[in-house]
Amino acid sequence: MSAVEANFDGLVGPTHNYGGLAPGNLASAKNSGSIAAPRAGVLEGLAKVKSLADAGLVQGVLPPQERPYIPHLKALGFSGASDGAIWEAAYKAHPALALNMLSASSMWAANAATVSPSADTQDGRLHFTPANLLTALHRSIEGEQTRRALSAIFPDPARFAVHDTLPYQSAFADEGAANHVRLCAEHGAEGVEIFVHGRDAFEAWDGKFPARQTLQACEAVERRHGLKSARTVHIRQSRKAIEAGAFHNDVVCVGTGPVLFFHEHAFEDKAEALDAIRRAADGLFEPVFVEVPDAEVPLADAITSYLFNSQLLVWPGEVRQVLVAPKETEETASTNAYCQRLVEGNSPIGAVKFADVRQSMRNGGGPACLRLRVVLTEAERQAVNPKVMMDDALYAQLTDWANTHYREALSPDDLGDPALVDESRRALDALTSILGLGSDFYPFQRQGA
Ligand code: SUG
């Protein structure tokens, strides 16, 4: 069956800021406390989405989440005359805690869910498991709203299975598609699903940074999606990569179609990993491995430039694939030189385009973090909520919406402002009508209902 790989990008939320909240994420730590530009952030993301839609790729958007997240603060015992007052009081009393309720981290849609196309699943439905993201407090509050968003966008249960998150226990720590790669001959054909974990929950982990994905979470997703074990591969991410700041596998690896593009030090046992992929692909397709040697791109450069956090795309009208890399890859000498050699040689990657997503990059999110890939057959595509799909009209509406509702700057001194609550709710309320998500999509819309 023919199918396309659609990309759904997380919109940067109105409270985008640099809280330094993400363990093992070097960019987030480095930029902690700096002044953020939420409006520029959302516009950068929209420009990337629009340029891919203009090139003929199928592109949708995912809504930001409600922040500051007052329901959680209430559950933690904060109270006040209004939600704005609760926010102000909580931020004043416990800024470190309150900041976790303010992050716009749902923009990194690669962490929203793990997705298995219908060609791979036993019941022939497209399966989604929203990620529990339990390793970091600010992300652990995303999963339920992500489930709601996916259910609103992929509403037909005969075609789409939107699961609950995995249980919230550290043994099932799950960061979604950032640790999942699907290889195939073409998108609509049966593929090989590769799950990458940082740790086995039943072994001790004493790494410098947390290993955010467990083997047990990956196996649970494999079971609930009804994947064939012969076509599923579990690989361990290298400790070296995690310790160098690759907090997700998609910081050192990306793949699409038959092509796997990865850093020499991405996997703990590379030879075994590649063999396992070859075995799983046997009879379906020949995997094409593009390994980047450390001698050409040192791991540290791969991580600061985010070379691998690029979108690898089958580009309309092109025989070779296209890599949409962050601007920082062009600005880093080793990765820029590598990209030039890559496209000049006879590799499966024929062009590199650079995208400016700096606001997101400064929190450790490149072009690939911002999107969730969903392989859709034509019939599935018809069943998706059409209002989230990018076209000229939606782009015009969303840029106008961003210019109306988003602040130009958010500095650390602004973060406790009680006005942020109503301001961001007005933006999200307007968005639910633009994207056809109903009037009870966000917790604040259901308040008192
Ligand atoms: O989980 N940053 C995110 C970045 C996620 C990138 N996603 C992928 N690689 N797929 C994270 O570390 C920073 C937020 C802050 O510090 O305020 C943050 O959550």
Side-chain angles (χ1 to χ4, degrees), residues 23 130 163 174 192 196 332 396 425 448:
H163 297 266
D174 177 21
V192 167
V196 183
T332 304
R425 288 179 179 180

Side-chain angles (χ1 to χ4, degrees), residues 175-343:
E175 301 266 325
N179 295 315
H180 177 254
V181 183
R182 176 176 187 263
L183 300 185
C184 54
E186 49 182 319
H187 298 311
E190 181 179 5
V192 167
E193 298 206 15
I194 304 168
F195 290 82
V196 183
H197 59 276
R199 67 186 164 98
D200 181 324
F202 300 110
E203 290 171 13
W205 173 258
D206 60 356
K208 171 166 130 196
F209 294 132
R212 297 200 203 175
Q213 182 88 29
T214 65
L215 171 61
Q216 286 67 26
C218 297
E219 289 173 340
V221 173
E222 173 192 355
R223 276 190 296 272
R224 48 162 63 181
H225 288 194
L227 302 179
K228 289 184 190 156
S229 59
R231 301 288 183 209
T232 305
V233 179
H234 293 280
I235 296 179
R236 189 165 189 147
Q237 190 183 5
S238 78
R239 186 179 172 113
K240 193 180 183 132
I242 296 173
E243 300 210 328
F247 53 94
H248 292 133
N249 175 62
D250 71 1
V251 175
V252 282
C253 169
V254 60
T256 200
V259 181
L260 190 72
F261 179 56
F262 60 98
H263 190 271
E264 177 183 351
H265 295 314
F267 309 123
E268 192 64 44
D269 183 343
K270 183 181 66 188
E272 169 47 26
L274 302 187
D275 263 359
I277 295 169
R278 278 192 205 96
R279 285 194 301 273
D282 188 38
L284 293 180
F285 61 95
E286 191 68 44
V288 180
F289 297 125
V290 182
E291 176 179 342
V292 180
D294 196 67
E296 292 185 43
V297 175
L299 190 53
D301 281 4
I303 289 167
T304 48
S305 71
Y306 261 38
L307 167 64
F308 296 93
N309 203 258
S310 299
Q311 291 179 255
L312 188 56
L313 297 160
V314 175
W315 199 264
E318 294 292 330
V319 176
R320 296 203 288 166
Q321 296 185 348
V322 172
L323 194 71
V324 175
K327 266 280 185 206
E328 288 76 355
T329 297
E330 192 179 23
E331 294 160 358
T332 304
S334 65
T335 51
N336 190 33
Y338 180 83
C339 287
Q340 283 178 19
R341 285 196 299 278
L342 183 70
V343 299

Side-chain angles (χ1 to χ4, degrees), residues 15-29 31-32 99-100 102-112 133 136 138-139 142 175-179 212 246-251 306 309 360-366 368-371:
T15 62
H16 158 59
N17 71 94
Y18 297 110
L21 303 173
N25 172 340
L26 305 184
S28 152
N31 294 305
S32 175
L99 269 183
N100 283 278
L102 189 68
S103 173
S105 53
S106 68
M107 72 175 84
W108 297 299
N111 305 119
L133 293 167
H138 69 295
R139 305 217 63 183
E142 293 175 35
E175 301 266 325
N179 295 315
R212 297 200 203 175
F247 53 94
H248 292 133
N249 175 62
D250 71 1
V251 175
Y306 261 38
N309 203 258
S360 167
M361 277 290 285
R362 299 176 77 223
N363 251 334
C369 295
L370 287 163
R371 59 89 175 103

Side-chain angles (χ1 to χ4, degrees), residues 10-17 36-42 62-67 102-108 370 401 405-407 410 424 427-428 431 442:
L11 294 175
V12 174
T15 62
H16 158 59
N17 71 94
R39 189 187 297 172
V42 67
L62 296 174
Q65 299 199 355
E66 175 182 337
R67 300 290 183 271
L102 189 68
S103 173
S105 53
S106 68
M107 72 175 84
W108 297 299
L370 287 163
W401 166 78
H405 293 284
Y406 279 56
R407 291 194 190 189
L410 258 186
S424 102
L428 298 182
L431 186 68
Y442 288 110

Side-chain angles (χ1 to χ4, degrees), residues 65-79 83 86-87 101 141 145 421 425 442-447:
Q65 299 199 355
E66 175 182 337
R67 300 290 183 271
Y69 193 48
I70 305 297
H72 226 66
L73 290 174
K74 285 184 179 161
L76 296 171
F78 292 99
S79 59
D83 285 354
I86 294 176
W87 172 245
M101 303 300 137
I141 55 175
Q145 184 65 21
V421 174
R425 288 179 179 180
Y442 288 110
F444 74 86
Q445 294 174 314
R446 299 193 292 277
Q447 209 160 275

